[in-house]
Amino acid sequence: DLFLTDDGAGGTLRKTAASRLKTYVGAGAGAFDIGNLDIDGGTDIGADIVDADLFIIDDGAGGTNRKTAASRLKTYIGGAGLVHIATSTASSASSVHLNSVFSSTYDQYFITYAITFSSDAGKARARYQNTSDSEITDTYLQSSVRDSGSSSASGNYNNTNYFILNDDGQSNFSNIPLHGHMYISNPSSSSIQTQFRNFASTADAGRNSGYEISGGRLQENTAVGGLKIYPDGGTFGSATIRVYGIVNS
């Protein structure tokens, strides 16, 4: 195809083939040269990158350009690491439920918690929930080591229908929450008893600093889908629980 052009803007008209336009704008062989992209002159996104944002990628470095969602970068770059699954917060609550957070996607899960209590000597308990989000009240076997304001730790064994996050009684000071984290293994398996390991930083009613470290398992071969955390009496002043999947690679 031909166009009419004013050669040099001097009044001399000439014909030019459409193919010359590709050279002028930097698009050779049907492609626009990436060097001509004015990235510096673009408008900043003005927000955090989210999973739905799109990038351009040369698929296999073979010249076939495709779009890809930002969410795919987490899989490629992340490798082994943590993937956030859910956060649950509550205030003046008798329990916190993390429903349907476990699946076969991950074998191991990492959970963090920060809890304050409505009254002194608060104790936090936990139970698994089944895949229908009903709490499991079967037997939990747990061994723990704890200390609070002394020079020697004590060992304890728990055999009841819940597992313990802290048992020395936490102060109700809002600036000294019960902080901790736990690992949960193979919750989605119905052939392996789901195990847990808990690590808590504590402070009793006298503000004596302490700790609680424990491990155990649910004494049943059943799939676990979620988790319930609750006080042994009264309510939580506040609670923030976060669940992460640990990438299997």
Side-chain angles (χ1 to χ4, degrees):
D1 290 342
L2 299 174
F3 292 89
L4 189 64
T5 183
D6 183 350
D7 189 11
T12 302
L13 298 180
R14 295 281 190 268
K15 68 180 180 180
T16 185
S19 58
R20 293 180 180 270
L21 296 179
K22 293 190 294 184
T23 303
Y24 178 69
V25 299
F32 187 80
D33 191 336
I34 194 172
N36 289 327
L37 288 175
D38 184 16
I39 297 175
D40 291 342
T43 302
D44 188 86
I45 189 173
D48 291 339
I49 294 173
V50 299
D51 287 350
D53 289 342
L54 297 176
F55 292 88
I56 300 171
I57 188 168
D58 183 346
D59 189 10
T64 302
N65 295 329
R66 294 285 187 262
K67 68 179 181 180
T68 184
S71 57
R72 294 180 181 268
L73 297 178
K74 293 190 293 186
T75 303
Y76 177 71
I77 298 173
L82 301 179
V83 176
H84 178 256
I85 295 173
T87 296
S88 183
T89 60
S91 59
S92 300
S94 59
S95 63
V96 179
H97 293 263
L98 296 149
N99 297 329
S100 303
V101 292
F102 304 137
S103 70
S104 59
T105 302
Y106 307 103
D107 296 331
Q108 308 285 334
Y109 289 83
F110 180 71
I111 300 170
T112 66
Y113 54 87
I115 297 169
T116 63
F117 295 87
S118 59
S119 58
D120 256 343
K123 299 179 181 181
R125 307 291 187 243
R127 285 176 176 156
Y128 294 140
Q129 297 176 171
N130 62 25
T131 53
S132 298
D133 294 323
S134 297
E135 61 185 284
I136 300 173
T137 58
D138 295 311
T139 300
Y140 297 81
L141 305 177
Q142 180 180 15
S143 295
S144 61
V145 177
R146 67 177 65 102
D147 182 36
S148 183
S150 70
S151 58
S152 60
S154 61
N156 299 270
Y157 181 71
N158 181 53
N159 181 348
T160 186
N161 63 355
Y162 56 80
F163 62 86
I164 295 169
L165 301 188
N166 72 302
D167 212 40
D168 270 338
Q170 182 78 6
S171 75
N172 68 336
F173 297 106
S174 60
N175 64 335
I176 314 177
L178 173 68
H179 271 293
H181 62 271
M182 68 180 82
Y183 295 90
I184 293 180
S185 301
N186 302 114
S188 66
S189 175
S190 58
S191 61
I192 299 175
Q193 296 186 355
T194 302
Q195 297 179 332
F196 57 86
R197 285 88 68 209
N198 177 61
F199 306 82
S201 175
T202 64
D204 63 20
R207 301 194 186 191
N208 295 307
S209 294
Y211 64 88
E212 181 137 357
I213 303 172
S214 65
R217 72 183 193 277
L218 173 66
Q219 198 178 22
E220 292 291 335
N221 288 2
T222 187
V224 172
L227 186 70
K228 172 188 176 182
I229 298 177
Y230 62 98
D232 70 340
T235 61
F236 290 144
S238 64
T240 300
I241 320 294
R242 292 185 172 90
V243 182
Y244 302 85
I246 302 177
V247 177
N248 293 335
S249 62

